[in-house]
Amino acid sequence: MKVYSVGQVNNYIKNIITQDYMLKNISIKGEVSNCKYHSLGHIYFSLKDETGVLPAVMFKGNAATGLDFKLQDGQAVIVTGSMSVYERDGKYQLYVRSIKLDGIGKRYEEFERLKMKLYEEGLFDFEIKKPIPKFPKKVGIVSSLNAAGLKDILAIAKERNPYVQLIIYHAKVQGEGAADTIVAGIQALDAAGVDTIIIGRGGGSIEDLWAFNEEKVARAIFAANTPIISGAGHEIDMTLADYAADLRMPTPSAACVAALPDVMSTIKQLDGLDRAMKIAMTSRLSLAKAKLEGLSSKLELMSPVYRLEQQNLYLADIYDKMNKAIRSKLDAKRHRLELLTARLDGLSPTAKLVGGFGYIGKAGVGVTSVREVSKGDELSIVLYDGTIQAIVSDKKRS
C-alpha cells in the first residue's frame, strides 16, 4: 500500500475541488458572520444559514471591483466565487469575486427594529445618563468567571486601585439563557449598593455578543439605579447594551480604567512630590541658614563691641610696632654712642696712660724732651690713676 504525505493529500483534494465545473463559478446566499477587514485590504468572513457555516475570503483586488458597500455582520448577501483548498491548513473555503446584498439578515433586521423601538422610548437618551463616580468604594462586575475579559479587569484593578472592593456576579455571556443571567447580575448588584457596575466579556463574533443585544438586558440597564459601564470587547459595532449603558467602552480593560481612578499612580506621584518637596525644603533651609550666618557675621562686624575690640587690637599692634621702632632706634643710637665713645677714648691723652704710660709736665706744660728739663726741676707725672710730684736729680740723653 502506497503512503502519501499530508501535502499530497491536500493537493489532491484541491485539484478535485478546483476542477469541479460547478464549484469554479458558484453563487451562494447566506448571512455574513465574523467579518474582519485585514490591514492589507483583504476581507475574511463566514457565510452561514440554519444548516451550517462556510468560511470565505475576498482579496483586496476583488473587493475594489466586486463590492460596493461596507460588509458587516448580520447582512444577508449573495456571493459569487470559486471553491478551493488552503493547503497549509487543509481547509476549504470560498474565494469571493463579488458580493451583492440580499435584503437584511434576520438578526440584523431584528437588531435595527429593537434599537429604534428602545430609542423612541427614550432608553438611549443622553440626558438620563448617570455620571460615573470618580472615587468608588465598591464596583460590581457582571461577567463569566472564565472570561478573558474578567482576568483583564482584575489585573488592571490590582494595578490601578487595589483598595476598591470588587464584587463579581458570575453570568453566562453567550449562548442560550445568557441574557437572563446578565439581567439577574445587574439587578443583584444594583440591590447590593455598589457604586458602579461593569458588564462585559472579551471579543467575539456578533453571534457571541448577541446576549448584549437582548431587549431584557437593555431594559435592566435602563432600570438600574447604579451607573453602568459596558465593555463587551467590540470596538466597531455597538450593542443595545452599549446604547443603554451610562458609559460605553470598547473593551473590558477600558471599562475598568473608566470605573477605577488610578490611585497607585497618584500615590506614586504624591511620593515623588513629597520627595521633591523635602529636597526643596532642605535646600531652602540650607540657603536660609547660610544667609542667616552671613547676616550674623555682618552684624557681628558692625557691632560696637567688635569694632572696639578690633581698634584695641589695632592700637596694641601699633603700640608694639612703635615700641619696637623706639627700641631699634635706641639700640642704634646706643651702638653709635659706644663707637664714638671708643673713638673718643682712643683720642684722649689719659687713655694712653693705661699699661705703664704716664704724662710728664713741668709748670703745667708737657715735657716732650730731656732738653726741656734741668737737674733740680720739679715735675708732675700724671698716671691713669693719679699724679706723682718729683724732682730731677739727673738726666741722660740717648
Side-chain angles (χ1 to χ4, degrees):
M1 181 179 65
K2 185 176 180 180
V3 177
Y4 298 91
S5 67
V6 173
Q8 288 175 318
V9 174
N10 284 339
N11 184 260
Y12 180 77
I13 296 174
K14 178 180 180 179
N15 288 333
I16 292 177
I17 294 176
T18 55
Q19 291 175 11
D20 188 294
Y21 178 78
M22 188 189 78
L23 298 179
K24 284 183 178 181
N25 188 30
I26 186 170
S27 294
I28 307 172
K29 78 173 187 174
E31 184 178 317
V32 177
S33 174
N34 202 24
C35 180
K36 295 178 182 178
Y37 277 75
H38 193 274
S39 59
L40 295 178
H42 310 321
I43 307 173
Y44 297 91
F45 62 98
S46 297
L47 277 180
K48 69 172 188 176
D49 58 17
E50 295 80 4
T51 61
V53 178
L54 176 65
V57 59
M58 188 177 201
F59 293 123
K60 179 180 180 180
N62 291 324
T65 57
L67 180 64
D68 57 4
F69 61 94
K70 181 174 178 59
L71 193 66
Q72 295 180 333
D73 289 343
Q75 294 172 335
V77 295
I78 298 175
V79 300
T80 301
S82 60
M83 295 297 304
S84 185
V85 172
Y86 186 38
E87 294 183 53
R88 190 195 70 178
D89 295 340
K91 296 180 179 179
Y92 68 88
Q93 59 184 350
L94 178 64
Y95 289 82
V96 180
R97 293 189 296 272
S98 66
I99 304 176
K100 302 294 182 184
L101 282 172
D102 185 30
I104 301 178
K106 292 181 180 180
R107 280 198 166 182
Y108 187 74
E109 183 180 4
E110 178 185 352
F111 169 80
E112 289 295 329
R113 178 189 59 78
L114 186 56
K115 182 174 73 171
M116 185 58 63
K117 172 187 173 182
L118 298 179
Y119 172 78
E120 290 175 352
E121 290 184 23
L123 268 69
F124 305 152
D125 290 349
F126 286 101
E127 292 77 8
I128 64 172
K129 302 295 184 184
K130 296 177 285 294
I132 307 301
K134 292 184 177 180
F135 301 100
K137 295 181 179 179
K138 293 188 292 183
V139 173
I141 304 170
V142 179
S143 184
S144 170
L145 293 176
N146 301 320
L150 178 61
K151 296 178 182 178
D152 294 338
I153 290 176
L154 296 179
I156 292 174
K158 182 178 180 180
E159 179 181 349
R160 289 176 63 86
N161 196 339
Y163 308 105
V164 172
Q165 180 183 3
L166 300 180
I167 302 175
I168 303 171
Y169 187 95
H170 174 58
K172 290 180 64 178
V173 290
Q174 72 180 72
E176 186 177 354
D180 292 329
T181 62
I182 294 172
V183 170
I186 293 172
Q187 293 173 345
L189 292 175
D190 189 37
V194 298
D195 299 305
T196 309
I197 297 174
I198 298 174
I199 63 171
R201 50 157 291 154
S205 66
I206 190 65
E207 291 80 12
D208 295 335
L209 298 169
W210 197 256
F212 295 91
N213 279 324
E214 295 282 349
E215 181 178 359
K216 62 183 70 176
V217 173
R219 292 193 180 279
I221 294 172
F222 176 77
N225 295 315
T226 307
I228 295 178
I229 303 174
S230 70
H234 53 106
E235 299 191 19
I236 300 176
D237 298 319
M238 292 180 63
T239 65
L240 295 180
D242 293 327
Y243 286 109
D246 298 292
L247 178 64
R248 184 255 179 180
M249 300 303 291
T251 63
S253 299
C256 182
V257 170
L260 302 180
D262 193 356
V263 172
M264 296 308 296
S265 293
T266 303
I267 290 175
K268 292 178 182 178
Q269 185 179 10
L270 289 175
D271 288 341
L273 292 174
D274 180 65
R275 288 192 297 271
M277 184 175 67
K278 287 180 179 178
I279 293 172
M281 288 298 296
T282 301
S283 176
R284 296 196 67 175
L285 286 173
S286 298
L287 290 174
K289 184 177 179 181
K291 187 175 181 180
L292 179 61
E293 291 175 351
L295 292 174
S296 298
S297 300
K298 288 184 179 180
L299 184 62
E300 184 178 350
L301 292 175
M302 297 174 66
S303 168
V305 175
Y306 176 79
R307 298 187 70 178
L308 182 60
E309 290 176 351
Q310 293 299 308
Q311 290 297 327
N312 288 335
L313 291 174
Y314 177 73
L315 289 175
D317 185 54
I318 295 296
Y319 179 78
D320 290 340
K321 289 181 178 179
M322 185 176 66
N323 282 340
K324 185 176 179 181
I326 292 173
R327 284 195 299 270
S328 177
K329 287 281 187 182
L330 288 174
D331 290 342
K333 294 296 184 183
R334 187 179 294 111
H335 180 65
R336 180 170 177 76
L337 179 61
E338 289 174 354
L339 291 175
L340 292 174
T341 301
R343 289 177 65 184
L344 184 61
D345 288 343
L347 296 173
S348 172
T350 59
K352 297 180 179 180
L353 300 179
V354 181
F357 294 96
Y359 171 75
I360 301 173
K362 182 179 76 170
V365 179
V367 178
T368 61
S369 175
V370 294
R371 291 192 298 269
E372 296 176 0
V373 298
S374 301
K375 186 176 179 179
D377 289 342
E378 186 177 350
L379 301 176
S380 299
I381 302 171
V382 181
L383 302 175
Y384 78 96
D385 56 352
T387 302
I388 300 173
Q389 297 294 328
I391 297 174
V392 177
S393 61
D394 195 11
K395 69 174 185 178
K396 293 179 179 181
R397 295 179 66 183
S398 58

